[in-house]
Amino acid sequence: MTKYIFVTGGVVSGIGKGISAASIGRLLKDRGFSVFMQKFDPYLNVDPGTMSPYQHGEVFVTKDGAETDLDLGHYERFTDEELTKRASITTGKIYLKVIKKERRGDYDGKTVQVIPHVTDEIKGAITKAAKESGADVVITEIGGTVGDIESLPFIEAIRQVHSEHPKGDVAFIHTVLVPQIPGSDELKTKPTQHSYKQLMSQGIKADVIITRSDGDVDESLRNKISLFCDVPPEAVVQSEHVDLIYEVPLIFHKQKLDDYILGLLNLEAKESRHHEWKDMVDRFKKADQDLTIGLVGKYVQLHDAYLSVAQALMDAGYENGAKVHIQWIDSEEIEKDGPEKHLKGLDGIIVPGGFGNRGIEGMIATSQYARENKIPYFGICLGMQIAVLDVARHLCNLKDASSSEQNPDTNYPVIDLMESQISVENVGGTLRLGNYSCHLLEGSLARNLYGQESVEERHRHRYELNNDFRGQLRQGGLIFSGIHEDLDLVEIVELKDHPFFLACQFHPEFKSRPNRIHPLFNGFIQTSLKNKK
């Protein structure tokens, strides 16, 4: 029988609820249990795919093509498990299903209400995830903060899950902020007490309380929280500030959180394999070189817009004994000042994904500068299209070559819509999404980095390299080293006579793990280290 853990947040948002949930997943996996993780987001969007990155950070994509919250990236990196569309549920997705059922007449003329129809749909999402994954434990994070009007149906649904299962099948974990009074060192538990009571008023009693604070939650504070929130002192766990987010599972293990959760769920304790994770963290913390990578993009004011890219860069750096320092560079600044001012002295340059025409010329200038100055260049999604446009303009004499996304009237639409995308009307969920196969050219850099003939990678884009220009681009020196053969689409391009000039149409950052670095990120960081020396 599957067990269920629900993680809620109190006092304020943004206190690391997702990292706590992911860390619990890691702990349970290290104890020999299979886990599946979910995120419930209370907004009315069906998914975050149509949101600006400034609204919600990056959009993480699952292997089956679901556009999801960035917390799913943490879940996958910590647990090293590939998630599916069952992992991401929004209010919009739930209500869309309910309304479609109502229009079809599935409710037999009944009045459609939040209880039971909406809550039943939410519970169905939980049980479907359990059934399809076959996991021993499903861990579900409820987005937002307890007391938010938007999250009430989710809170009610998980209360019902608890009431419908035997004791020991469901556990509630509540994460809270323990604030420090300005001008003093005193930590206050009153917000925690109020948050606990708010949760209780909605029918849920927390089994574990995870605290976040600037100071140490000592024994006296633990006992106080224990007394007022009706949990044992050992169920009050501190999520300490750490230098490396991957230390959080070790912090929890030190406080025996995994043992306590196993006791709550009546799971037979197995010997922990946490030493493997600890060895990785210890190795990462010994990194003693410094590496400066320029990330050139259009959403750099919000670093979460490139969260998975940044994490993959840092993880690959740690694995190679280096601390990666990311220089966040706005491509529009390059358009104003020229590339030399912003790019000179960098050890490597990466151009990640994006949409629209803002800052595109600055990115093309970035690719040209990296290419001509032999600086390692790694392009991802839009970054590949940028590299192709650079080669088309400056090595193939296709003056003003462009993408039909940025310039529909260009004479040289080197990047263009796929035929299947031309008649698409809806914006949401209609891109090329999820896993696609990629055959690698023998003798290419990509083939050498992967060490295998074919791979599967995740996509999120609408425009592709226009095959009509393959011949001219090949004459300009561009190598098509990765091809999706079924649709004959270019997936990876690279150049000879350059230490590392490689770009891919897919998003390798979504498959990079701290304990299993993606080959392309690994190769880019290794070459950047050589470039530095």
Side-chain angles (χ1 to χ4, degrees):
M1 291 291 293
T2 300
K3 306 285 187 173
Y4 300 93
I5 295 174
F6 297 105
V7 181
T8 57
V11 184
V12 295
S13 60
I15 55 173
K17 186 166 75 266
I19 296 294
S20 292
S23 297
I24 292 166
R26 179 75 250 169
L27 288 175
L28 293 178
K29 190 169 181 186
D30 282 345
R31 298 303 290 265
F33 297 99
S34 59
V35 299
F36 186 85
M37 303 199 64
Q38 285 184 303
K39 175 72 182 291
F40 286 174
D41 275 303
Y43 50 72
L44 283 171
N45 303 66
V46 173
D47 59 45
T50 58
M51 291 187 195
S52 162
Y54 288 124
Q55 287 282 309
H56 216 255
E58 76 170 8
V59 174
F60 188 83
V61 179
T62 59
K63 65 180 181 180
D64 57 352
E67 294 176 286
T68 73
D69 180 78
L70 56 79
D71 272 330
L72 269 71
H74 290 312
Y75 300 164
E76 288 207 2
R77 284 187 288 274
F78 275 70
T79 65
D80 196 12
E81 296 285 349
E82 286 196 305
L83 298 174
T84 67
K85 61 185 178 182
R86 298 295 181 200
S88 179
I89 305 297
T90 68
T91 295
K93 193 172 289 185
I94 293 295
Y95 274 87
L96 185 62
K97 287 184 178 179
V98 170
I99 290 169
K100 283 183 176 179
K101 286 183 177 181
E102 185 273 331
R103 292 288 83 186
R104 290 197 304 262
D106 292 1
Y107 296 119
D108 296 325
K110 295 176 183 176
T111 301
V112 181
Q113 297 174 291
V114 172
I115 302 172
H117 302 103
V118 171
T119 50
D120 281 353
E121 201 68 45
I122 295 169
K123 288 189 293 182
I126 298 168
T127 54
K128 285 174 186 174
K131 185 176 181 180
E132 289 187 11
S133 67
D136 297 320
V137 184
V138 172
I139 304 171
T140 304
E141 176 194 348
I142 312 299
T145 306
V146 169
D148 294 346
I149 192 169
E150 297 96 335
S151 60
L152 287 174
F154 292 108
I155 298 296
E156 170 60 20
I158 65 175
R159 183 201 65 77
Q160 292 179 22
V161 171
H162 178 266
S163 69
E164 293 165 1
H165 284 77
K167 185 179 180 181
D169 277 5
V170 179
F172 294 110
I173 296 176
H174 193 48
T175 62
V176 294
L177 175 70
V178 180
Q180 185 172 316
I181 298 300
S184 77
D185 295 329
E186 186 180 8
L187 295 176
K188 286 293 187 180
T189 66
K190 189 64 71 176
T192 297
Q193 297 171 40
H194 284 307
S195 183
Y196 171 81
K197 290 174 181 175
Q198 177 76 53
L199 192 60
M200 282 284 286
S201 73
Q202 295 174 17
I204 293 175
K205 182 184 181 301
D207 297 298
V208 174
I209 291 179
I210 296 177
T211 66
R212 282 296 304 275
S213 64
D214 285 329
D216 180 46
V217 178
D218 59 21
E219 186 177 356
S220 65
L221 283 174
R222 284 175 190 258
N223 289 335
K224 189 173 182 180
I225 292 172
S226 168
L227 177 64
F228 282 96
C229 299
D230 195 24
V231 296
E234 58 268 28
V236 181
V237 176
Q238 183 176 8
S239 179
E240 301 172 14
H241 295 323
V242 291
D243 296 326
L244 191 66
I245 60 170
Y246 302 128
E247 293 181 79
V248 176
L250 304 180
I251 296 293
F252 286 172
H253 177 73
K254 188 178 179 181
Q255 298 173 75
K256 300 184 178 179
L257 177 58
D258 44 344
D259 285 328
Y260 192 81
I261 290 174
L262 294 179
L264 284 173
L265 298 176
N266 294 330
L267 291 170
E268 185 178 346
K270 301 177 185 179
E271 186 177 350
S272 175
R273 301 196 313 268
H274 87 284
H275 64 276
E276 297 172 6
W277 193 262
K278 184 178 184 302
D279 290 344
M280 179 197 78
V281 170
D282 289 343
R283 186 173 70 253
F284 279 14
K285 293 183 77 173
K286 289 177 182 175
D288 57 0
Q289 302 178 75
D290 290 303
L291 191 67
T292 303
I293 301 295
L295 188 153
V296 180
K298 56 204 308 184
Y299 318 115
V300 293
Q301 287 79 9
L302 180 67
H303 296 177
D304 273 0
Y306 303 108
L307 181 61
S308 291
V309 171
Q311 201 61 58
L313 286 171
M314 291 187 286
D315 292 349
Y318 292 134
E319 184 66 24
N320 288 281
K323 296 177 182 177
V324 172
H325 304 280
I326 299 175
Q327 294 280 355
W328 301 89
I329 303 168
D330 190 330
S331 58
E332 288 186 287
E333 295 299 311
I334 293 176
E335 290 178 355
K336 288 193 295 184
D337 305 326
E340 181 85 10
K341 178 180 177 180
H342 297 279
L343 305 178
K344 186 176 181 180
L346 293 173
D347 301 317
I349 296 170
I350 187 166
V351 177
F355 295 90
N357 58 11
R358 181 172 60 83
I360 292 299
E361 293 302 320
M363 294 180 194
I364 295 173
T366 296
S367 173
Q368 181 182 10
Y369 184 87
R371 178 174 53 79
E372 293 177 349
N373 290 278
K374 305 296 184 183
I375 302 171
Y377 175 91
F378 187 14
I380 295 176
C381 196
L382 176 62
M384 185 193 102
Q385 298 173 6
I386 292 299
V388 171
L389 293 177
D390 164 34
V391 170
R393 289 183 183 184
H394 304 117
L395 297 181
C396 302
N397 201 31
L398 298 176
K399 189 177 180 182
D400 299 326
S402 190
S403 164
S404 57
E405 179 183 16
Q406 282 93 43
N407 181 8
D409 300 321
T410 178
N411 293 320
Y412 304 111
V414 176
I415 305 297
D416 203 2
L417 271 177
M418 288 178 61
E419 199 170 311
S420 61
Q421 291 281 340
I422 292 174
S423 59
V424 169
E425 294 182 1
N426 289 338
V427 176
T430 56
L431 295 85
R432 184 152 78 102
L433 294 164
N435 277 8
Y436 285 79
S437 61
C438 175
H439 183 270
L440 303 171
L441 179 67
E442 189 170 355
S444 65
L445 173 59
R447 177 75 170 265
N448 292 338
L449 290 174
Y450 277 106
Q452 58 192 82
E453 185 177 345
S454 62
V455 294
E456 280 202 338
E457 294 285 0
R458 298 186 199 174
H459 295 68
R460 183 176 183 255
H461 58 96
R462 196 181 303 278
Y463 289 79
E464 307 278 353
L465 188 148
N466 188 339
N467 287 336
D468 293 343
F469 291 90
R470 272 202 208 178
Q472 290 161 285
L473 291 168
R474 192 178 283 113
Q475 288 180 355
L478 201 62
I479 300 167
F480 307 117
S481 56
I483 301 291
H484 174 59
E485 294 181 319
D486 290 347
L487 298 174
D488 193 26
L489 299 173
V490 174
E491 298 278 29
I492 307 175
V493 299
E494 56 188 75
L495 287 175
K496 284 184 180 179
D497 304 321
H498 193 286
F500 191 104
F501 191 94
L502 183 146
C504 53
Q505 187 60 76
F506 48 81
H507 289 267
E509 69 271 23
F510 293 154
K511 295 188 75 170
S512 192
R513 310 282 183 263
N515 54 351
R516 193 160 47 85
I517 308 300
H518 193 284
L520 298 187
F521 277 95
N522 201 43
F524 173 64
I525 291 298
Q526 288 176 349
T527 309
S528 297
L529 281 167
K530 290 178 184 176
N531 179 53
K532 177 184 177 69
K533 293 175 182 178

